[in-house]
Amino acid sequence: MANTKLHMTKAFTTGIGYRLLALVMTLLFISPSYANASETGKEGSDFDVKEIIFEHLGDGYGWEVPFAHVYRIPLPVIVRAEDGSWFCFSSADLTEVEVVKDMETGKEHKTLLPVIKSVNRNGKEYRFIIAHVSSHKDKLVEIFDLSASDQKDLDAKLAEAGKGDAGEGAAPIVDGYVFFNGKYYREYRPLDISITKNVAALFIVVVLVTAMVMGLVNYYRRRGLRAPRKGMGFFEMLVGFIYYDTIKATLGDKTRKFAPYLLTAFFFILVMNLVGLIVIFPGGANLTGNIAVTLVLAVCTFVVTNITGNKHYWKEIFWPDVPLFLKFPLPIMQVIEVFGIFTKPAALCVRLFANMMGGHIIVITLTLLIFIFAAFGAAVAGAATVVSVLFSIFMLLLDVLVSFIQAYVFTLLSALFISMSNVHEEEHHAKEDKDNPTLEKKDEDEIAADKARLGEVAAEIDLK
């Protein structure tokens, strides 16, 4: 027991060390990106905190290179054009790094700009771009030169908006068109199955979880039932805790049937949460802060719950045990129960998404305070830096705890929902045993037999 606690303490303190290192790297990573913002902030230009936060939390066609915000690790782009043709190319072809000189200060800085990717095939030119001034902001679109009818439609929409012609910074967003490099193009949102940053991060998490599980399996194959130590021991402790104290305590004799899914969900969510706290590759992807990811996880629980539900589960939904006037002729209770089928996984989805997204937003906002207060002078900036770093460390440590808690809560609630859909028949007919001597005697015999078995086990392990 002492060794187990020692291993847990070492694993936890080591994790804290990694998180602190991650925070320091976060500051180093984002400071070059926002140094220019803080400089221009002194001159009165906009410093869009909201845009910066969601840029870091959002998805992308490339993965930021550590300590060089404008550079990206290229990822494959796979899209289906308007005429049905498929294209695959590197995301590096969609952007370029340009050196921009500030005319007032004379300082130069690098910025990442979108460019048009042109592909010639069978005598036809296809053009793709990452849209910015468009209803499909930051998504890949196919662009076309305006025909006469397109120009007429665009002019009508611009006139209706009351904007007229404008520069790129003030160009209005027009549905069906994208503004780039001083002119509008007709846009088409292609079928996009690209390997974005979030998709690549999912693959990385799958590899990490598989490596952890197979490492533990191979350990027991080589060394039998000898308890593992260090990191593998901490992992084995988590498996035992989730299996025995969560899944088995909830599902009982159906544990072996559902444990593989529930254990997979726990470690998959846990690793996604922890990887998301690491700011540099292979971390930096806010997977559980993406509602599409949490929605798929919730749908998995929804499918398992309802596909494996027995007849008593569905009876309680379509003909619940309530007074007749509540279910006929107006199906009041049936509507409520059917609605509850969907609200349970929706709660799983939103809870995980909101908690993880909120934690990331707080940490990034606290970090950005350093650059926001930089405009008020060195003294204020220094004090803001100390406060921001201390609070960021606290929130990052809290996020580590929340990562475990949210993975555990998702697994526990999933186990409860599955348990509710697999209620034993005896539980529904227990009230029929009352005042029935035969059935009551049967129940008493079963309780006595269970007590006898428990007594035998207690005697074997000297608990008496």
Side-chain angles (χ1 to χ4, degrees), residues 116-290:
I116 297 176
K117 167 64 176 177
S118 298
V119 181
N120 292 304
R121 180 181 294 178
N122 299 327
K124 182 178 179 180
E125 183 182 23
Y126 299 84
R127 294 179 294 175
F128 302 93
I129 191 174
I130 298 177
H132 286 291
V133 185
S134 165
S135 56
H136 301 295
K137 180 175 173 58
D138 297 329
K139 301 296 183 181
L140 188 71
V141 297
E142 185 180 6
I143 61 174
F144 305 88
D145 291 327
L146 299 180
S147 63
S149 59
D150 292 335
Q151 186 64 55
K152 183 177 180 181
D153 178 61
L154 174 63
D155 292 339
K157 291 181 177 179
L158 288 174
E160 183 180 354
K163 298 287 185 176
D165 293 331
E168 182 169 355
I173 296 176
V174 182
D175 189 36
Y177 300 90
V178 57
F179 186 87
F180 175 71
N181 202 22
K183 61 181 294 189
Y184 280 96
Y185 298 86
R186 181 175 68 85
E187 69 175 2
Y188 169 75
R189 180 79 171 97
L191 176 62
D192 191 348
I193 58 172
S194 304
I195 307 299
T196 61
K197 181 174 71 173
N198 283 349
V199 175
L202 281 174
F203 291 154
I204 293 173
V205 171
V206 168
V207 171
L208 290 176
V209 174
T210 303
M212 292 166 58
V213 173
M214 296 309 298
L216 187 61
V217 170
N218 292 332
Y219 178 90
Y220 281 117
R221 283 177 179 173
R222 295 193 312 268
R223 303 193 180 187
L225 297 180
R226 182 180 177 183
R229 297 177 179 275
K230 298 183 180 179
M232 192 62 69
F234 181 72
F235 177 57
E236 192 268 347
M237 182 201 69
L238 281 179
V239 173
F241 169 70
I242 296 300
Y243 184 85
Y244 291 105
D245 295 342
T246 304
I247 302 174
K248 193 173 183 64
T250 305
L251 292 172
D253 58 355
K254 291 183 172 59
T255 298
R256 292 178 64 88
K257 180 178 180 181
F258 298 104
Y261 164 69
L262 294 171
L263 282 169
T264 301
F266 173 80
F267 285 105
F268 189 61
I269 294 172
L270 176 61
V271 174
M272 282 195 296
N273 291 343
L274 295 178
V275 168
L277 296 179
I278 304 172
V279 72
I280 62 174
F281 183 86
N286 184 29
L287 293 176
T288 44
N290 186 326

Side-chain angles (χ1 to χ4, degrees), residues 17-167:
Y18 289 148
R19 301 288 84 79
L20 294 177
L21 178 61
L23 176 64
V24 175
M25 297 179 75
T26 302
L27 297 176
L28 293 174
F29 175 63
I30 66 175
S31 57
S33 307
Y34 305 134
N36 293 313
S38 60
E39 290 290 335
T40 55
K42 298 177 182 179
E43 304 298 329
S45 60
D46 292 333
F47 180 52
D48 196 338
V49 175
K50 178 181 176 181
E51 183 178 352
I52 292 172
I53 290 174
F54 283 98
E55 178 187 355
H56 278 274
L57 296 180
D59 201 359
Y61 289 96
W63 207 313
E64 292 88 348
V65 175
F67 313 111
H69 184 70
V70 296
Y71 295 102
R72 298 288 188 270
I73 299 173
L75 296 171
V77 177
I78 308 171
V79 291
R80 182 177 182 270
E82 188 178 42
D83 63 358
S85 302
W86 284 93
F87 296 89
C88 180
F89 50 87
S90 171
S91 62
D93 298 335
L94 297 170
T95 57
E96 67 178 12
V97 178
E98 182 175 309
V99 178
V100 178
K101 186 175 182 179
D102 191 328
M103 301 304 295
E104 295 182 0
T105 63
K107 294 182 178 180
E108 294 184 348
H109 66 276
K110 295 180 180 179
T111 185
L112 191 67
L113 299 176
V115 295
I116 297 176
K117 167 64 176 177
S118 298
V119 181
N120 292 304
R121 180 181 294 178
N122 299 327
K124 182 178 179 180
E125 183 182 23
Y126 299 84
R127 294 179 294 175
F128 302 93
I129 191 174
I130 298 177
H132 286 291
V133 185
S134 165
S135 56
H136 301 295
K137 180 175 173 58
D138 297 329
K139 301 296 183 181
L140 188 71
V141 297
E142 185 180 6
I143 61 174
F144 305 88
D145 291 327
L146 299 180
S147 63
S149 59
D150 292 335
Q151 186 64 55
K152 183 177 180 181
D153 178 61
L154 174 63
D155 292 339
K157 291 181 177 179
L158 288 174
E160 183 180 354
K163 298 287 185 176
D165 293 331

Side-chain angles (χ1 to χ4, degrees), residues 93 265 302 418:
D93 298 335
F302 171 81
I418 294 171

Side-chain angles (χ1 to χ4, degrees), residues 329-442:
L330 294 177
I332 299 175
M333 290 304 300
Q334 288 93 324
V335 171
I336 293 175
E337 291 292 340
V338 170
F339 185 69
I341 294 176
F342 299 97
T343 56
K344 292 172 184 175
L348 287 178
C349 169
V350 175
R351 178 184 287 105
L352 180 59
F353 161 73
N355 279 279
M356 299 313 300
M357 172 66 86
H360 284 272
I361 289 177
I362 291 173
V363 172
I364 296 176
T365 303
L366 288 172
T367 306
L368 289 176
L369 289 177
I370 299 172
F371 307 101
I372 294 174
F373 283 101
F376 296 93
V380 176
T385 300
V386 173
V387 174
S388 177
V389 169
L390 291 177
F391 273 100
S392 296
I393 291 173
F394 171 75
M395 287 304 305
L396 201 57
L397 295 177
L398 187 61
D399 273 347
V400 175
L401 177 61
V402 171
S403 297
F404 282 89
I405 292 175
Q406 290 304 315
Y408 172 74
V409 169
F410 187 97
T411 306
L412 176 61
L413 292 179
S414 296
L416 287 173
F417 296 156
I418 294 171
S419 176
M420 291 166 60
S421 70
N422 287 268
V423 180
H424 293 291
E425 181 178 358
E426 291 79 5
E427 297 177 27
H428 282 269
H429 296 284
K431 65 178 182 178
E432 298 178 4
D433 295 357
K434 189 175 182 180
D435 299 327
N436 189 323
T438 303
L439 295 176
E440 287 184 349
K441 182 64 169 58
K442 180 181 177 182

